[in-house]
Amino acid sequence: MRKNYLLIIFIISSITAISQTNDLTPSTYAIANASVADNKYYSAFKNPAALAVQQNIGIGIQYENKFIINELSKKSFYTFSSTRFFNVGLSATYSGYQLYNEILTGFVLAKNFDNIFQLGVQYNYYSVYLAEDNKRKAAFFPQIGLIVKVAPAFHIGFSTFNPAQQTIQFKH
């Protein structure tokens, strides 16, 4: 048994992870932005698996203006509902102004597997508008999240945002 733990620790420590951060997604309620393992509150676009333990209907609205510049503010909206088989949610966030803006929308399906682990899959639609080109470019990509319950007060979370590194190409 001890050899299995050592093998798992060796495999996890040898995996190289690349982080793709997105300024468009709203901030979280979690301490130190560690929302990947937080399953108390559903935070749109952080870890879709957190939606799996919600047992009601909810709506959230968020406005964030870090630098007191309206053009850099983020406006977000999400809603979710629990159903008999899985939980569903819709979310959207907008950032920018009339010459440049970004919109990110998502549809999430999440399921709690007997409080052992939670799995969530979100389908995102990301679009960018540049007034210089007078065109809106867009891409679809998935987001996958997993939260594993190790102990009653200890969870490990994994989330991948745009795992295929989908990009939007602007041609001038």
Side-chain angles (χ1 to χ4, degrees):
M1 187 71 162
R2 194 172 247 184
K3 290 181 182 180
N4 289 340
Y5 286 130
L6 291 174
L7 179 64
I8 290 170
I9 291 171
F10 175 75
I11 290 172
I12 290 173
S13 65
S14 65
I15 295 173
T16 303
I18 298 171
S19 174
Q20 178 185 1
T21 58
N22 185 350
D23 284 335
L24 183 61
T25 58
S27 297
T28 66
Y29 303 114
I31 295 172
N33 277 340
S35 61
V36 177
D38 184 20
N39 68 349
K40 292 179 187 167
Y41 304 104
Y42 169 62
S43 180
F45 302 110
K46 295 302 178 185
N47 191 346
L51 181 61
V53 294
Q54 303 300 320
Q55 298 179 353
N56 50 17
I57 295 171
I59 295 174
I61 298 171
Q62 183 176 4
Y63 177 79
E64 184 175 346
N65 194 354
K66 288 184 180 176
F67 304 108
I68 311 173
I69 300 172
N70 289 335
E71 288 80 7
L72 298 177
S73 66
K74 298 176 211 169
K75 301 155 191 85
S76 303
F77 170 81
Y78 65 89
T79 182
F80 60 86
S81 176
S82 61
T83 66
R84 186 174 165 201
F85 299 107
F86 49 82
N87 294 353
V88 296
L90 289 170
S91 53
T93 184
Y94 173 87
S95 177
Y97 61 110
Q98 66 185 30
L99 298 178
Y100 173 83
N101 58 60
E102 298 177 74
I103 299 172
L104 181 62
T105 59
F107 172 73
V108 63
L109 298 172
K111 181 147 178 77
N112 187 4
F113 292 91
D114 293 329
N115 288 325
I116 298 169
F117 71 94
Q118 301 151 220
L119 180 66
V121 177
Q122 184 163 326
Y123 303 98
N124 293 320
Y125 174 76
Y126 173 69
S127 69
V128 177
Y129 174 75
L130 288 173
E132 181 179 315
D133 293 339
N134 197 21
K135 291 183 183 175
R136 183 169 291 278
K137 302 286 185 171
F140 285 97
F141 55 87
Q143 180 178 356
I144 303 163
L146 175 72
I147 297 176
V148 179
K149 184 176 182 180
V150 178
F154 184 69
H155 300 92
I156 296 176
F158 303 95
S159 181
T160 176
F161 186 88
N162 193 5
Q165 299 294 309
Q166 180 89 7
T167 58
I168 297 175
Q169 299 292 326
F170 286 97
K171 299 181 183 179
H172 294 284

